[in-house]
Amino acid sequence: MIKKTVLTVLMSLGLTLGFSLTSHAETVLERAARTGTLTVGTLTEAVPLSYVNDQGQLVGYSVDLVNLIKARVEEQLGRSIQIDFVTITPENVMVKMEEREIDLACNVGFTWNRDLFVDFSVPLARSGTTLLLKSGSSLGSPESLQGKRIGVLSKTIAEQVIKLVQPNATFVSISTLEEGFKAVASGSIDALASDMIALEGYRQTVSQPNAFMTTVNQPYNREGIACIVPENNSKFLDIVNYSIIRLMQGYLDGEASSVEIVNRWFGPQGIITVDPKLIQDYFTEVVNSREQIRISK
């Protein structure tokens, strides 16, 4: 009688909790195989990584990378997959990933604290915290920021870094880069602190880029920019890492499609112009941390 009672209770618990437990245990690839969808969190003004262009299209270096990841997932699963892009912010990306509202997000700065809750890919770029200023400004050193009004986006690495290097500045909460640029232009803040790639990329797209300057040669910190996936999804992380390294190796080997993707965003006519030698050196550094991939030309 006791055994039957215990069995009945366990079966009841299984019926009550089974769907929830199955859902939480389901990996990204298992869910993609079942639903045919990958849900990808993306920033929408991180030029040139991911942003909405004048035609209302979501574009950018990491958007192209997501499409390469999608192709690799399709190859692994043997079925077509669609990408469901979901807008994220620096404030909510970690929560959305931990709660499994998204399967993948790129353009995320690495910190050891974040790494406790999600898994990071190999870095797809190197960045750091820098300032946007009016052209001709003498601000830049930590000492020069004392008492100055510094715009910061909440819960970003840049906010933490600037508050650490100059705690005696006055910090002004800014919602978007666009708002920050307008605040610098109007003089309501003295500087805007953010990711150096995003700041310089956005600066080069505004109507009067020469009205602003960025302190890209004086970053206050350095961090890798990577993709993140939910913890305990090693097979999916392998696909993400392979896709990043494959793109970098293709660029180094002169593969046309890889060179085209990189140059579209960082080449001579790209959104941001980066010295090709710097790109080659960085890609070589990342590729050499893994196994090189042979590229068929």
Side-chain angles (χ1 to χ4, degrees):
M1 182 68 177
I2 294 177
K3 289 183 178 179
K4 285 187 176 180
T5 302
V6 173
L7 181 61
T8 300
V9 171
L10 290 174
M11 289 179 66
S12 298
L13 284 172
L15 289 172
T16 303
L17 302 176
F19 290 109
S20 176
L21 291 174
T22 300
S23 174
H24 285 295
E26 191 175 38
T27 68
V28 169
L29 291 181
E30 287 169 345
R31 183 158 66 178
R34 177 174 58 84
T35 65
T37 301
L38 276 176
T39 304
V40 178
T42 184
L43 302 170
T44 57
E45 60 169 9
V47 182
L49 301 176
S50 61
Y51 66 102
V52 176
N53 64 16
D54 293 339
Q55 290 73 48
Q57 302 166 319
L58 180 66
V59 296
Y61 179 60
S62 67
V63 175
D64 286 348
L65 177 59
V66 166
N67 285 319
L68 296 178
I69 294 169
K70 168 183 175 289
R72 184 73 176 168
V73 170
E74 290 177 330
E75 180 182 327
Q76 293 288 309
L77 297 181
R79 64 159 299 172
S80 61
I81 296 294
Q82 71 174 35
I83 300 296
D84 180 15
F85 284 106
V86 175
T87 300
I88 57 172
T89 66
E91 295 93 337
N92 67 23
V93 59
M94 291 296 293
V95 173
K96 285 184 177 294
M97 180 62 70
E98 290 178 63
E99 295 183 355
R100 294 300 305 274
E101 293 180 29
I102 55 177
D103 302 314
L104 173 70
C106 297
N107 312 330
V108 180
F110 178 90
T111 70
W112 290 110
N113 183 61
R114 287 174 172 176
D115 196 40
L116 295 174
F117 305 100
V118 299
D119 286 334
F120 279 82
S121 71
V122 296
L124 57 93
R126 182 187 291 128
S127 193
T129 296
T130 189
L131 296 177
L132 175 84
L133 305 161
K134 282 185 178 179
S135 289
S137 172
S138 61
L139 298 182
S141 69
E143 295 76 19
S144 70
L145 303 182
Q146 184 168 347
K148 300 299 182 182
R149 299 159 299 172
I150 311 299
V152 292
L153 279 73
S154 178
K155 296 183 180 179
T156 59
I157 294 175
E159 178 186 31
Q160 298 170 19
V161 169
I162 294 297
K163 286 184 175 180
L164 181 64
V165 300
Q166 184 45 267
N168 294 321
T170 299
F171 298 98
V172 180
S173 181
I174 299 294
S175 299
T176 65
L177 288 181
E178 180 181 11
E179 178 186 334
F181 269 69
K182 289 179 178 178
V184 171
S186 69
S188 60
I189 61 175
D190 299 300
L192 173 65
S194 190
D195 171 83
M196 61 190 291
I197 295 177
L199 278 183
E200 183 58 21
Y202 200 95
R203 186 192 71 82
Q204 293 191 27
T205 65
V206 299
S207 59
Q208 294 181 302
N210 293 333
F212 302 97
M213 57 182 277
T214 57
T215 56
V216 293
N217 294 324
Q218 302 172 261
Y220 298 102
N221 75 311
R222 291 281 190 180
E223 78 262 359
I225 303 298
C227 299
I228 58 173
V229 305
E231 285 201 309
N232 305 316
N233 277 269
S234 61
K235 289 185 178 179
F236 181 51
L237 184 60
D238 287 344
I239 289 175
V240 174
N241 284 334
Y242 182 91
S243 301
I244 295 171
I245 297 294
R246 174 67 175 75
L247 173 61
M248 292 180 174
Q249 185 70 64
Y251 177 85
L252 293 172
D253 289 354
E255 181 191 43
S257 60
S258 297
V259 172
E260 180 184 359
I261 288 175
V262 174
N263 282 349
R264 184 181 304 145
W265 311 109
F266 303 106
Q269 279 75 49
I271 299 298
I272 292 180
T273 300
V274 178
D275 184 343
K277 181 66 164 55
L278 294 178
I279 297 176
Q280 292 165 6
D281 289 347
Y282 178 71
F283 282 6
T284 299
E285 178 184 331
V286 176
V287 168
N288 285 348
S289 71
R290 302 287 168 131
E291 180 187 21
Q292 294 185 354
I293 299 170
R294 294 189 178 277
I295 305 297
S296 299
K297 297 183 179 180

